[in-house]
Amino acid sequence: MAGAKQRALIFILLTVLMDVVGFSIIIPVIPDLLKKLTHFSTGEVASIGGWLLMSTAAMQFLFAPVMGELSDRIGRRPVLLMALAGLGIDYIIHAYAPSVAWLFFGRILAGIFGSSHTVAMAYVADVSTQEEKARNFGMIGAVFGLGFIIGPLIGGIFAKWGVEVPFLVAAGLTLLNLLFGFFILPESLKPELRRPVNFKKMIPGVSLFRLGSYKAFAALLFAFFLAMVAGQTLPSVWTYFTIEMYNWGAFEVALSLAAVGLLVAVVQGFLLGKIVSRFGSRRTILIGFVCWTVGMGMYAFSFEEYILYAALIPYCLGGVGSPTLQSLISNHVSQREQGNLQGTMTSMASLAMIITPPLMTQVFSTFTTSTEHYFPGAPFALAAVILLVGTFIALNGLSKLDT
């Protein structure tokens, strides 16, 4: 039983990894793919790329509760296997997309089938003891971070042999995982524990209506939302910015994104606890917001590559702010309200992933197609302003929070 459980957990981790890779693999190669299909400039394809990212995030926002409800009715195994099959087909569609319309179709499928991470979390909860849950959920969190490193690297490395090759590699890996799961993955939800579908729970973002329950944390929640909006700027415009500024190819973009991912992992995995212990939660939140603001501001004016790399340090150190803020709010809410609170904050983060890509890529397009107001760093400058506003709002919220 222990061996079967371990194999099942390995499969779940691989499934989550494929979900994240599916979202991030397109980041370093999308400009070349769009240029190939449209023959537009970098600035012109950026706005299309933003809508592509938004379509994926929107579908995940819409279908995550649907996938969860479906798995409560028919079991986790069939939903997970169906999602992997869908992702494998989706990657093949991306590889051979004859038009931008087909790319949108592929990104929509990626969002629908990539929303299965909610089912993966439910599977882990089914098979874990109380003592094992924290560790196993932590492993899923680590895999999320790993996916945002591996995805762009696959995209950048294999794009040397053609813009379609990264998607074919991802399709192969996903379908291999599907075969692995078909033969070794047992069902985790016993028939007697299954329940009819509750259609009300399929309504996306329903937890946002509970924001009124947290009036004491309204300022902190708004600061959290602003941080999420600003934070999505980097995956939305990084590729277009570095191509426009430094004429980078997919490989250089992939390496830089991997560097960001590794630094974020080091900060959140090793430094976060030490910083909180040294300065306390409230100061850590402010340190995070200030560092994030400085990093974004440096990106905006990184006219040389060394400035961009130097900006990685304050930007990644800023990563201590958001999880500490989330933890501080959680610690001031009763145990019975934890599920509602986390659902609300997850919905806010999902909403930010929908808003930011089209907004920031449109800003980039506007300031790179205009010769009169040429400023490729405009999206990062706007993000820095948003974070600066968030810093003052967080400061205000912290001053009102009871100790």
Side-chain angles (χ1 to χ4, degrees):
M1 287 294 292
K5 181 177 175 180
Q6 187 175 22
R7 288 194 296 272
L9 285 173
I10 290 172
F11 169 80
I12 292 298
L13 293 174
L14 288 172
T15 300
V16 172
L17 183 64
M18 288 300 101
D19 285 355
V20 182
V21 167
F23 183 84
S24 60
I25 192 174
I26 199 171
I27 294 175
V29 298
I30 188 61
D32 290 338
L33 188 56
L34 287 172
K35 287 178 182 178
K36 176 184 174 182
L37 293 173
T38 65
H39 307 292
F40 289 168
S41 68
T42 301
E44 290 169 326
V45 300
S47 59
I48 301 174
W51 288 107
L52 283 171
L53 288 177
M54 187 279 287
S55 64
T56 305
M59 289 302 105
Q60 288 187 338
F61 180 69
L62 291 173
F63 280 89
V66 174
M67 289 288 194
E69 278 296 299
L70 192 60
S71 76
D72 282 344
R73 178 69 184 93
I74 66 174
R76 320 294 188 207
R77 185 177 188 272
V79 176
L80 288 168
L81 295 180
M82 174 190 71
L84 282 171
L87 279 176
I89 294 169
D90 169 64
Y91 292 138
I92 295 171
I93 291 173
H94 276 80
Y96 297 108
S99 66
V100 173
W102 275 95
L103 275 185
F104 272 100
F105 177 62
R107 285 288 86 191
I108 288 169
L109 286 183
I112 293 171
F113 293 113
S115 60
S116 61
H117 59 269
T118 55
V119 184
M121 298 287 277
Y123 192 104
V124 170
D126 292 341
V127 301
S128 303
T129 64
Q130 291 289 336
E131 294 75 20
E132 293 171 335
K133 280 184 181 179
R135 182 194 66 194
N136 290 339
F137 283 140
M139 290 173 65
I140 287 182
V143 166
F144 259 90
L146 185 63
F148 277 104
I149 297 172
I150 291 177
L153 278 177
I154 291 176
I157 292 171
F158 287 95
K160 290 183 176 181
W161 291 279
V163 74
E164 71 281 352
V165 175
F167 299 107
L168 295 176
V169 171
L173 293 174
T174 302
L175 294 175
L176 282 174
N177 194 33
L178 171 63
L179 288 175
F180 177 53
F182 183 81
F183 289 108
I184 66 94
L185 185 70
E187 178 55 61
S188 65
L189 188 65
K190 297 177 181 178
E192 61 269 22
L193 296 178
R194 298 176 192 180
R195 60 173 178 79
V197 170
N198 184 338
F199 289 98
K200 288 183 179 179
K201 291 186 177 180
M202 287 188 175
I203 301 173
V206 68
S207 57
L208 288 173
F209 292 104
R210 304 190 189 105
L211 277 171
S213 304
Y214 308 111
K215 292 179 180 178
F217 315 109
L220 294 179
L221 285 170
F222 188 47
F224 172 81
F225 176 69
L226 292 178
M228 294 298 100
V229 169
Q232 287 300 313
T233 303
L234 189 142
S236 298
V237 302
W238 181 270
T239 306
Y240 306 102
F241 176 79
T242 53
I243 290 172
E244 183 73 19
M245 290 292 292
Y246 316 124
N247 198 29
W248 281 2
F251 182 66
E252 290 82 6
V253 172
L255 287 179
S256 66
L257 288 171
V260 173
L262 285 171
L263 284 173
V264 168
V266 169
V267 168
Q268 297 199 1
F270 299 99
L271 297 182
L272 177 58
K274 298 179 185 300
I275 293 173
V276 173
S277 297
R278 175 71 175 83
F279 297 103
S281 294
R282 300 184 185 214
R283 288 184 180 177
T284 299
I285 291 167
L286 295 176
I287 289 170
F289 269 85
V290 170
C291 286
W292 220 351
T293 303
V294 170
M296 283 290 189
M298 289 178 68
Y299 286 151
F301 297 97
S302 55
F303 301 115
E304 301 290 341
E305 291 181 32
Y306 73 88
I307 302 176
L308 184 80
Y309 282 113
L312 292 179
I313 297 173
Y315 175 83
C316 293
L317 280 174
V320 302
S322 178
T324 309
L325 177 59
Q326 194 167 0
S327 174
L328 182 70
I329 296 172
S330 176
N331 290 339
H332 283 75
V333 172
S334 70
Q335 191 64 35
R336 291 187 303 173
E337 287 293 315
Q338 289 297 323
N340 287 341
L341 174 66
Q342 297 307 321
T344 299
M345 298 184 83
T346 299
S347 293
M348 293 173 77
S350 299
L351 196 59
M353 292 177 69
I354 295 171
I355 293 170
T356 302
L359 170 64
M360 293 303 186
T361 52
Q362 185 57 54
V363 170
F364 177 84
S365 181
T366 300
F367 281 88
T368 53
T369 55
S370 168
T371 54
E372 186 177 353
H373 304 289
Y374 183 79
F375 181 32
F380 294 118
L382 177 57
V385 171
I386 292 171
L387 284 167
L388 185 61
V389 172
T391 303
F392 286 108
I393 292 174
L395 185 63
N396 178 260
L398 290 170
S399 67
K400 296 179 180 178
L401 195 64
D402 294 332
T403 56

